[in-house]
Amino acid sequence: MKFKVCITFTIDISDSRLETIIKAFSSIVPWLFQKFTAQILVSLAERPRTVTRLKRILKSKKITWKSLKGAGTTRITSPYGMVRLPQLQVLNHETGQRLFVTRYLLGLERYQRIPDITRRYFGLMGALAPLRVVNKFFEMFTGNRISLMEIVRSI
């Protein structure tokens, strides 16, 4: 399956030193991952196979999209930092209930803020290095901070 992802952004870099370029790139990595994930999520949600899968998950015979653009957002901690993804909403015609399906499509539990893949990354980093070093590396590469307890719980 191929996707055409179009992302445009403007970066202000003051000089041509490698350190400045790396710092600018590491600051856009979470934003880049967020936009990439949102575009893939919306394009997959539009496919008929996804609607069939949602019908099976929600145990419904008929659902319709109410919000495919995702006016609201949900926060998820990724290995690249905290990202906000669009809240996609469907209407279940059998119950008349509106449901947010972004987390269903991503394979996450309802109130799970840190996905299992991110927890495994944090656990691996925490097992191989002291906690403060892991926190410093994470901040250096993503521009975001995580609490030391999130790393400890992941080990």
Side-chain angles (χ1 to χ4, degrees):
M1 179 178 312
K2 294 183 182 181
F3 294 97
K4 182 178 181 181
V5 179
C6 301
I7 299 173
T8 305
F9 50 89
T10 305
I11 302 171
D12 184 28
I13 297 178
S14 57
D15 58 16
S16 62
R17 292 189 340 220
L18 184 60
E19 180 182 341
T20 308
I21 295 170
I22 290 173
K23 192 173 278 191
F25 180 75
S26 66
S27 69
I28 65 164
V29 166
W31 183 84
L32 184 65
F33 181 72
Q34 175 178 322
K35 294 294 182 185
F36 176 77
T37 307
Q39 282 189 13
I40 296 293
L41 187 66
V42 170
S43 62
L44 277 175
E46 293 173 341
R47 297 182 60 208
R49 248 176 60 187
T50 304
V51 174
T52 306
R53 182 173 146 217
L54 282 174
K55 286 179 186 177
R56 191 175 61 245
I57 289 172
L58 301 174
K59 298 179 180 112
S60 176
K61 291 180 182 167
K62 185 176 181 189
I63 61 170
T64 55
W65 286 105
K66 284 296 170 191
S67 169
L68 199 55
K69 301 291 182 209
T73 59
T74 183
R75 286 178 23 184
I76 296 170
T77 304
S78 75
Y80 306 105
M82 187 70 70
V83 294
R84 291 185 172 274
L85 298 174
Q87 280 280 42
L88 306 177
Q89 190 178 53
V90 296
L91 174 66
N92 185 345
H93 286 280
E94 289 182 2
T95 62
Q97 191 177 23
R98 289 181 177 212
L99 299 164
F100 291 113
V101 294
T102 300
R103 291 181 177 270
Y104 286 122
L105 294 174
L106 292 172
L108 299 177
E109 294 296 321
R110 194 161 183 193
Y111 295 106
Q112 186 178 15
R113 198 178 61 130
I114 303 175
D116 291 335
I117 184 85
T118 305
R119 195 172 297 279
R120 280 185 262 153
Y121 282 7
F122 290 165
L124 179 62
M125 288 188 292
L128 296 175
L131 299 177
R132 296 193 192 284
V133 173
V134 172
N135 200 2
K136 189 67 176 173
F137 277 135
F138 189 76
E139 182 182 0
M140 186 171 62
F141 287 118
T142 65
N144 294 318
R145 295 196 67 141
I146 55 172
S147 72
L148 295 176
M149 281 310 296
E150 286 181 12
I151 299 169
V152 169
R153 287 187 203 120
S154 301
I155 296 177

